[in-house]
């Protein structure tokens, strides 16, 4: 199904070809599916160029500081509870397989096979539970328009075997606004092997001054979408205007993302201070969040 860019307000064309400028490490290709795919759309290197007529933040902003905004990732969209349900089911199935087989008195080799299968279900379920209930509620990326720095808290992979460990945020990384780029991607999912579903996502690609053409970090910024990347392009326009043109931290009538803020990773005091101090209160945000008349 073709996307009507003109109707949506998108100002840049689809790309749908090989990545034009940047390279990815082998580790990134293994860890992130989008590092192995051709971009759906390539945001211009010239960040003064508009990409959308209608900027929108779509409840992806986690916190607003005097001189910075914290943008969430696809991890904060609210899908964690479903991961948790799958996790509980996996753990119960695994325990059932492990303890049911000895009750029926099967052969030794069957007992070993059932134990391996049951333990695998248990570990997979525990992985989902740790990600859903014992990990950060989101992984904020801070855009400071005063210093023109972007601060990333990466998603730290969970160890599959260490089911007792909680999820912890990765090590803070800092990049120049001029050394980050954005791409949208499309991938085809086939849940259950029957019904095809198309998903779109926006990745923030971060490079260092030492290796400006090699992607050092990838962040699934904002939210996922179905088929069209209109929402992601509009979000990038919102961020671009905020950083380049003094645009608002929230679009009129928008709200902050509803996540458990007690489980959000905190930026170091020096980063918060450079952004003008603590996050604004709801009263201070009211000038943007009140509904449009």
């Amino acid at each position: 199904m073709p996307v009507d860019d003109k109707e949506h307000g998108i100002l840049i064309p689809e790309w749908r070809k090989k990545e034009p400028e940047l390279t990815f490490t082998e580790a990134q290709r293994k860890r992130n599916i989008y590092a192995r795919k051709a971009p759906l759309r390539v945001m211009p290197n010239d960040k003064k160029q508009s990409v959308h007529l209608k900027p929108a933040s779509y409840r992806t902003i986690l916190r607003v500081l005097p001189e910075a905004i914290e943008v969430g990732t696809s991890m904060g969209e609210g899908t964690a509870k479903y991961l948790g349900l799958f996790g509980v089911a996996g753990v119960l199935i695994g325990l059932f397989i492990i303890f049911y087989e000895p009750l029926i008195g099967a052969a030794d080799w069957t007992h070993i096979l059932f134990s391996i299968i049951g333990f695998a279900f248990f570990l997979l379920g525990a992985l989902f539970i740790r990600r859903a209930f014992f990990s950060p509620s989101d992984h904020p990326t801070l855009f400071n328009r005063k210093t023109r720095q972007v601060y990333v808290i990466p998603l730290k992979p969970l160890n599959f075997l260490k089911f007792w460990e909680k999820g912890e945020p990765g090590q803070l990384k800092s990049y120049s606004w001029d050394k980050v780029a954005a791409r949208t991607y499309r991938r085809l999912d086939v849940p259950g092997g029957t019904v095809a579903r198309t998903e779109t996502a926006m990745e923030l690609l971060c490079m260092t001054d030492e290796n400006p053409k090699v992607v050092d970090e990838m962040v699934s910024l904002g939210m996922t979408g179905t088929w069209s990347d209109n929402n992601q392009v509009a979000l990038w326009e919102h961020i671009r205007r905020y950083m380049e043109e003094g645009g608002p931290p929230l679009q009129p009538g928008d709200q902050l993302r509803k996540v458990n803020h007690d489980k959000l990773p905190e930026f170091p005091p020096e980063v918060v201070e450079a952004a003008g101090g603590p996050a604004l209160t709801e009263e201070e945000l009211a000038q943007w969040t009140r509904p449009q008349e």
Side-chain angles (χ1 to χ4, degrees), residues 186-191 194-200 225-227:
R186 179 179 290 160
R187 72 176 183 182
L188 185 67
D189 290 334
V190 187
T194 54
V195 181
R197 179 187 67 194
T198 300
E199 178 183 87
T200 59
T226 54
W227 194 262

Side-chain angles (χ1 to χ4, degrees), residues 46-200:
D46 180 7
K47 295 186 176 69
K48 296 187 181 300
Q49 179 181 340
S50 294
V51 297
H52 203 289
L53 292 174
K54 305 170 185 176
S57 46
Y58 296 111
R59 298 200 179 201
T60 61
I61 308 300
L62 295 166
R63 289 177 288 216
V64 174
L65 285 68
E67 296 293 343
I69 55 175
E70 294 183 17
V71 182
T73 68
S74 56
M75 287 297 297
E77 288 188 286
T79 57
K81 59 184 178 182
Y82 301 109
L83 280 179
L85 291 175
F86 279 118
V88 171
V91 167
L92 293 177
I93 291 172
L95 293 175
F96 175 80
I97 293 174
I98 292 172
F99 290 106
Y100 172 75
E101 189 276 335
L103 297 178
I104 63 176
D108 290 343
W109 69 269
T110 307
H111 175 65
I112 295 174
L113 178 61
F114 270 61
S115 296
I116 293 174
I117 295 174
F119 193 53
F121 268 96
F122 175 83
L123 289 176
L124 184 61
L127 180 70
F128 288 165
I129 290 174
R130 287 186 288 154
R131 181 59 73 201
F133 303 125
F134 300 100
S135 296
S137 56
D138 208 336
H139 292 263
T141 298
L142 187 145
F143 293 84
N144 186 323
R145 63 181 174 189
K146 182 178 181 180
T147 64
R148 295 178 65 82
Q149 289 293 116
V150 179
Y151 296 89
V152 173
I153 300 179
L155 176 66
K156 186 177 180 180
L158 291 169
N159 189 304
F160 183 71
L161 295 176
K162 296 181 179 179
F163 61 87
W164 59 89
E165 288 187 347
K166 297 181 180 180
E168 298 291 343
Q171 183 178 3
L172 177 72
K173 295 185 176 182
S174 174
Y175 302 94
S176 166
W177 167 244
D178 297 324
K179 292 295 190 299
V180 300
R183 307 282 190 265
T184 61
Y185 296 90
R186 179 179 290 160
R187 72 176 183 182
L188 185 67
D189 290 334
V190 187
T194 54
V195 181
R197 179 187 67 194
T198 300
E199 178 183 87
T200 59

